[in-house]
Amino acid sequence: MTITYYGHSCFLLETSGKRLLFDPYIRANELAKHIDVAAIKPDYVLVSHGHFDHIEDAVSILQESGATAVCAWEIMVWLNKQGIEKVHPMNVGGKWVFDFGTVKCTAAQHSSGMPDGAYGGNPMGFIVQNSEGTFYYSGDTALTMDMKLIGEQYNLDVALLPLGDNFTMGIDDAVIAADFIKCNNILGVHYDTFGFIKIDHDAAKATFAKAGKKLTLLGIGDALKV
Ligand code: NI
Ligand code: MN
């Protein structure tokens, strides 16, 4: 599995020969101006919830790439209204076997309204599992006891957790989340993009290291092999 970071909570997971783009928010992100969006060419676009900082580029990328969207039922209805028809609807707790592996939708403690005010259903995270490994992206979420279920059911190789605080869990809660999900290889997302969520990178890494965990903060455009 290879993960390429595109800023905020947007990243590409390359696995089993497929390209999975998560929470596309690139063109409007000042920090990600150097990313060539047209070159990403995803096969799937997974959307965790309806907030603009997770869906802003979804319609244009889906139109340009012909990718299949994977998201909550209510987000499918909204995408349909924007002219996007290739959508696999899911909901929290459900799993499906795709041609790249199994996707399980996990609970996220957050909210989900669409940019135009439409209801976005429940926010969620995703576990992707195949012969190459097991990957977890929590989506925007608070620290929740439900994460213990993930630690009991899966042997994660890597987990992507929000760190920015204010809208989601912050660094201290993310360390506890890493304990709950039993994963010591954490990739940080949802930080630095806006004034509310700026973090001290060195302090964040030190906090994780003190707890015996590895925190990776990728530069925008950089990749991590898992
Ligand atoms: Ni959000
Ligand atoms: Mn967000």
Side-chain angles (χ1 to χ4, degrees):
M1 292 181 162
T2 301
I3 300 162
T4 304
Y5 186 52
Y6 293 128
H8 200 53
S9 287
C10 180
F11 53 89
L12 183 75
L13 174 66
E14 291 172 80
T15 189
S16 293
K18 298 292 177 187
R19 299 167 67 79
L20 283 59
L21 183 67
F22 289 75
D23 285 0
Y25 174 74
I26 306 169
R27 289 179 170 125
N29 183 355
E30 286 297 326
L31 304 176
K33 286 287 178 220
H34 59 291
I35 299 300
D36 180 2
V37 176
I40 298 172
K41 297 192 186 338
D43 299 297
Y44 294 89
V45 175
L46 290 84
V47 178
S48 66
H49 65 296
H51 291 159
F52 76 96
D53 57 321
H54 300 259
I55 202 169
E56 188 98 333
D57 291 330
V59 171
S60 62
I61 290 174
L62 286 163
Q63 278 168 345
E64 290 159 18
S65 64
T68 301
V70 178
C71 57
W73 178 273
E74 291 82 358
I75 295 180
M76 176 188 75
V77 172
W78 184 85
L79 285 171
N80 289 164
K81 285 182 182 152
Q82 325 294 317
I84 302 294
E85 295 297 334
K86 274 176 77 178
V87 186
H88 183 105
M90 299 185 74
N91 212 332
V92 177
K95 66 176 183 300
W96 184 261
V97 181
F98 291 87
D99 57 359
F100 56 83
T102 301
V103 171
K104 170 91 173 272
C105 297
T106 58
Q109 187 63 45
H110 193 63
S111 58
S112 182
M114 307 308 298
D116 61 3
Y119 174 58
N122 286 316
M124 51 197 196
F126 300 104
I127 292 169
V128 177
Q129 190 171 40
N130 60 30
S131 62
E132 293 180 3
T134 307
F135 156 102
Y136 170 52
Y137 165 50
S138 72
D140 282 9
T141 183
L143 172 65
T144 142
M145 294 295 280
D146 289 349
M147 289 171 171
K148 287 194 173 187
L149 293 172
I150 295 169
E152 284 172 18
Q153 291 181 310
Y154 292 91
N155 191 1
L156 301 177
D157 294 295
V158 63
L160 280 68
L161 302 176
L163 301 179
D165 226 320
N166 193 74
F167 298 115
T168 65
M169 60 186 170
I171 292 154
D172 292 339
D173 282 354
V175 170
I176 299 169
D179 267 337
F180 284 3
I181 62 176
K182 296 182 185 162
C183 183
N184 289 335
N185 187 22
I186 305 298
L187 188 57
V189 295
H190 215 272
Y191 61 91
D192 283 0
T193 322
F194 322 112
F196 294 124
I197 61 172
K198 292 214 190 308
I199 65 165
D200 179 331
H201 292 206
D202 290 337
K205 286 178 193 166
T207 302
F208 274 79
K210 213 173 140 193
K213 300 174 194 312
K214 185 174 183 224
L215 174 67
T216 302
L217 300 175
L218 286 175
I220 296 174
D222 291 349
L224 175 75
K225 268 199 174 2
V226 180

